[in-house]
Amino acid sequence: MNRLQGKVAIVTGAAGGLGLAGVRAMASEGAQVVMMDLSPATFDRAKELVAEGFEVTAIVGDVSAEADIAATVALAKNTYGRLDILWSNAGLVSPEWYGQDTDAVGITLDYLMQTLKVNTGSVLLGAKHAIPVMAETGGGSIINTSSLAAAGGDLTGIAYGTSKAAINHLTRSVATAFGHLGIRSNAIAPGLIPPPAAAGPHKLEDSMPTQVILDSQMIPTPGEREDVANTVVFLASDESKFITGQVLYVDGGSTGHLATLSDRRHAPAATT
Ligand SMILES: NC(=O)c1ccc[n+]([C@@H]2O[C@H](COP(=O)([O-])OP(=O)(O)OC[C@H]3O[C@@H](n4cnc5c(N)ncnc54)[C@H](O)[C@@H]3O)[C@@H](O)[C@H]2O)c1
């Protein structure tokens, strides 16, 4: 398949999880991909993809450090000559979901600011450095990873939710200011996407309030990494050329209904 043939992409948070699945999907569609991650494992993942015949290269860096983002954009331009796609995907996935990231009374300002710096600051820095390079060749597609958590308030996770809601605004702001240069900017907001069983001993029950999220979905099974990767390919490709300034929820329908009027677990059985 060649939906991204001739396009050059950067993916952050590319060493594993959603990012790595997206790299594979984009490279399978013909894109040349620069993989960026804090973890040196990104070099190993890149080697494996190159051995499979994909055109990728890797760089280790911190998405909240401007020099690292600048170096990543420079690597894309120097290696492949241009930049068409930026997927700002890396984020703090809030391992202390039940710990420090609580509510307005329980959280510290430091925790909030650190979360904003990594999750939201990285999206700003990515756009800041990618846009001038994309504009040299007529524009490009910026995709930011938001979250289900941006859609409404919750009893916990105030820092994570705030950082992701800010990404939604940043996404629309970039789309508004740079659309005339051919820059599109959209966000993907995944719902619950647990690691596949093959990835290790992680169990569904280990992650966040899993059952609560599953109960909220219209489609009652957890999402898969490929659900996000396929959406990224669509937003990166010219198939979505008239779509910009949008937040696309890839969440099995969690955010498509109100939870206030009835309990979704009591949805009627089908009748014949
Ligand atoms: N998996 C889900 O259910 C889900 C749901 C909603 C949103 N998200 C979002 O999707 C994105 C990816 O999540 P994931 O589930 O693949 O997580 P993951 O932990 O598997 O992958 C995140 C990657 O980002 C990298 N990273 C973290 N901080 C970084 C930094 N400062 N600089 C560079 N790289 C850094 C990590 O090393 C890791 O490889 C995140 O932004 C997350 O908030 C995930």
Side-chain angles (χ1 to χ4, degrees):
M1 303 270 272
N2 297 311
R3 292 154 76 202
L4 301 179
Q5 198 65 44
K7 293 189 190 289
V8 175
I10 290 172
V11 176
T12 70
L18 303 182
L20 182 59
V23 170
R24 175 176 285 282
M26 283 198 233
S28 300
E29 293 290 349
Q32 297 166 304
V33 186
V34 174
M35 303 168 62
M36 193 268 211
D37 201 289
L38 204 51
S39 165
T42 193
F43 290 124
D44 299 326
R45 300 293 86 76
K47 267 188 209 147
E48 290 159 11
L49 288 166
V50 168
E52 288 181 53
F54 297 118
E55 276 199 75
V56 305
T57 190
I59 182 169
V60 166
D62 179 348
V63 286
S64 65
E66 184 157 7
D68 292 358
I69 292 286
T72 305
V73 171
L75 179 65
K77 192 172 172 190
N78 295 338
T79 308
Y80 300 122
R82 55 188 292 141
L83 179 62
D84 305 282
I85 301 157
L86 167 65
W87 183 19
S88 285
N89 166 70
L92 292 173
V93 189
S94 201
E96 291 148 318
W97 189 264
Y98 293 109
Q100 294 180 61
D101 194 358
T102 55
D103 55 31
V105 173
I107 199 170
T108 64
L109 182 61
D110 280 352
Y111 189 90
L112 175 70
M113 298 315 285
Q114 179 59 19
T115 308
L116 287 171
K117 186 176 180 197
V118 175
N119 288 7
T120 317
S122 62
V123 169
L124 174 72
L125 290 175
K128 184 180 173 71
H129 286 272
I131 287 168
V133 179
M134 287 177 166
E136 289 171 7
T137 51
S141 175
I142 295 175
I143 304 157
N144 302 316
T145 304
S146 178
S147 171
L148 161 70
D154 212 336
L155 297 175
T156 187
I158 189 172
Y160 183 78
T162 301
S163 73
K164 293 297 187 177
I167 285 175
N168 293 355
H169 184 84
L170 236 151
T171 298
R172 297 185 195 104
S173 180
V174 166
T176 306
F178 299 101
H180 66 288
L181 298 180
I183 306 285
R184 296 189 294 115
S185 170
N186 294 289
I188 290 181
L192 178 66
I193 317 281
H202 180 281
K203 295 196 298 292
L204 262 186
E205 310 81 84
D206 296 338
S207 53
M208 303 181 262
T210 301
Q211 195 56 49
V212 177
I213 297 175
L214 283 176
D215 285 343
S216 77
Q217 292 178 194
M218 300 173 191
I219 297 165
T221 48
E224 297 174 349
R225 290 172 173 171
E226 289 66 32
D227 294 321
V228 172
N230 292 337
T231 311
V232 168
V233 167
F234 171 66
L235 288 176
S237 78
D238 295 338
E239 292 165 16
S240 58
K241 65 182 172 54
F242 203 49
I243 300 175
T244 191
Q246 303 303 312
V247 178
L248 188 47
Y249 284 87
V250 182
D251 68 350
S254 286
T255 51
H257 63 91
L258 289 173
T260 44
L261 299 181
S262 57
D263 186 335
R264 229 208 53 77
R265 285 171 294 178
H266 300 147
T271 51
T272 51

